Amino acid sequence: MKHALLFLLPVLAAACATPGYDYEARMAPSFPQAAEYRDIAVGQFRGPAGNVAEAEFADMVEQVTLDGAYWFTLPSGEPMGLYQGRVDIESWEAETRFEREKRCVEYDGLFDCEHRAIVETECREETVEVVVTADLIDYRTNRLVFSQQQLGGASRETCVDVAEYEYHGEELGIWGEPHYSSYDPYNAPIGMVEDATVEAVRRFRNDIAPYYQTMRAEIMTDGLTPEARNDPRFAAAVKATRDGNFMGACAQWDELGREWTHAPAVLHNLGACAEARGDMATAQLRYARAAELAQAIPLLEDKKARAIFSALERVSGRRMDDALINSILYPEDPAPGS
């Protein structure tokens, strides 16, 4: 029964999700100024496992791609920027717990258990956390462009048998209270420090260069106005969206939009179609017009129109990200293909 419920959870979540159109969007890095530094070098990372951080950072930089091309370029002379930093061990902790299980302790033959007993096991799980700091330095001026920290962790578990006895009705599984211990971080096992450092460095990926993210242009399932609510084509387009029929749904929204020019939900859904196609300028215009019309509906609850304003904000952000990325990729033509 438990496994059946776990299987149903993703299905139920999908059924409850607001229908819409998924697409891949180019996102500006968390630190937009970092995108301007494509001709870079990776310098020294100090501290324990600093050599690991340096190697992992360099490897990550080499693998960053966008639109099918490598984002970072190898410097032919002096680089524009230099990434350097340090590794600090944040903590080294352990949890010790005790478990009982009924186990075969004596075999009469292969797969033939002669004697079962209770075996008590002591399990110790160690956890190490590190903080990796990465600084981007302007190579020419030695100016700090940005500094960011990322946390990484590693864990390992060891279990040893500590007792064996006949079963007398003892509770199986975990028993007793676990024991927690903290140790001097700088005595932490170096292998765990290195593993935690690798995890932390990987988290810098979206800080330093553009990346792709799956976005969803959600549609409105409530027509908001009587003409849209009462038109069976509106419900049919919603169903087509739920069924994954993007082309059919958008064709229906287009037909409704020509007839109901002042229906904000229809305009919003037309904006979702444009957004999913990558036409952010059209999407923004339609979302903006839908917001204007929604504000003019008397007594309309804010929560019913919230999707319109969220969509307008989202598309505005996408256009800003694209403008930043295009200005770097195509400095002579900020809007390629326009």
Side-chain angles (χ1 to χ4, degrees), residues 26-105:
R26 299 188 307 175
M27 312 290 288
S30 306
F31 292 87
Q33 62 270 37
E36 300 175 10
Y37 290 79
R38 301 180 65 194
D39 184 1
I40 60 98
V42 177
Q44 182 182 16
F45 279 71
R46 303 180 305 278
N51 60 325
V52 173
E54 181 180 334
E56 285 294 321
F57 207 99
D59 184 61
M60 176 184 64
V61 163
E62 289 179 2
Q63 296 181 41
V64 173
T65 60
L66 190 79
D67 297 344
Y70 289 105
W71 178 258
F72 291 105
T73 58
L74 295 175
S76 55
E78 288 188 348
M80 290 179 59
L82 175 70
Y83 280 100
Q84 61 186 32
R86 63 172 294 107
V87 179
D88 293 291
I89 306 174
E90 186 80 357
S91 64
W92 175 27
E93 298 179 343
E95 175 187 340
T96 303
R97 66 181 187 278
F98 305 93
E99 300 180 2
R100 292 192 187 106
E101 67 172 345
K102 188 182 290 187
R103 187 192 305 171
C104 185
V105 295

Side-chain angles (χ1 to χ4, degrees), residues 164-179:
E164 177 186 317
Y165 50 83
E166 297 301 315
Y167 180 58
H168 299 295
E170 292 87 354
E171 182 178 351
L172 301 181
I174 298 175
W175 63 280
E177 293 296 324
H179 297 164

Side-chain angles (χ1 to χ4, degrees), residues 321-332:
D321 282 5
D322 274 341
L324 171 67
I325 295 169
N326 287 336
S327 69
I328 296 168
L329 287 173
Y330 314 103
E332 302 302 323

